[in-house]
Amino acid sequence: MDNFQSSVLFRYFFFQWLFHDANVNELYQRAAAIAHNKAQRHYLLVYLRRWIALTLLMLFLGIMLEQLYALACVFFYTTAALCACTICNIAVAWVFLGQKNL
């Protein structure tokens, strides 16, 4: 897989590239970064749906493999648990970016 394909795959699942770092000393730059991040907030729901679909797929594959290969399903269950953690991170970011006095 070349660099462009891996970059597209990374951007499909991870949303950090959409947001600016608000941890700067300049008040104007911080306010601009926060305003930009709030404007990008609606894209988090797209990523939330993607991660929920991936979690459900991993759980489904884990359930299907549990009957055939008991040890092989561990990979899919572990991946589903990590996806659930990512879902929680996205939901918290979406809630906090929606607050008025951020």
Side-chain angles (χ1 to χ4, degrees):
M1 192 171 355
D2 65 349
N3 194 18
F4 175 73
Q5 289 176 335
S6 63
S7 174
V8 170
L9 186 64
F10 179 81
R11 288 179 177 213
Y12 186 79
F13 283 108
F14 299 102
F15 56 88
Q16 287 82 1
W17 63 277
L18 284 170
F19 297 95
H20 291 180
D21 185 15
N23 190 17
V24 291
N25 290 333
E26 290 280 332
L27 186 60
Y28 176 73
Q29 289 178 344
R30 181 181 300 149
I34 290 173
H36 172 78
N37 292 345
K38 283 186 172 189
Q40 299 292 82
R41 174 182 180 250
H42 66 279
Y43 290 113
L44 289 175
L45 295 178
V46 174
Y47 285 94
L48 188 65
R49 278 185 257 143
R50 290 175 184 168
W51 281 98
I52 289 172
L54 185 63
T55 303
L56 292 176
L57 176 69
M58 291 298 126
L59 285 174
F60 176 74
L61 290 174
I63 289 169
M64 298 308 284
L65 284 177
E66 193 171 357
Q67 302 300 324
L68 300 173
Y69 308 105
L71 195 57
C73 69
V74 171
F75 170 76
F76 295 106
Y77 285 143
T78 304
T79 306
L82 293 173
C83 289
C85 295
T86 305
I87 289 170
C88 291
N89 286 338
I90 294 171
V92 167
W94 185 75
V95 167
F96 279 115
L97 282 174
Q99 292 186 355
K100 298 291 181 196
N101 18 335
L102 179 67

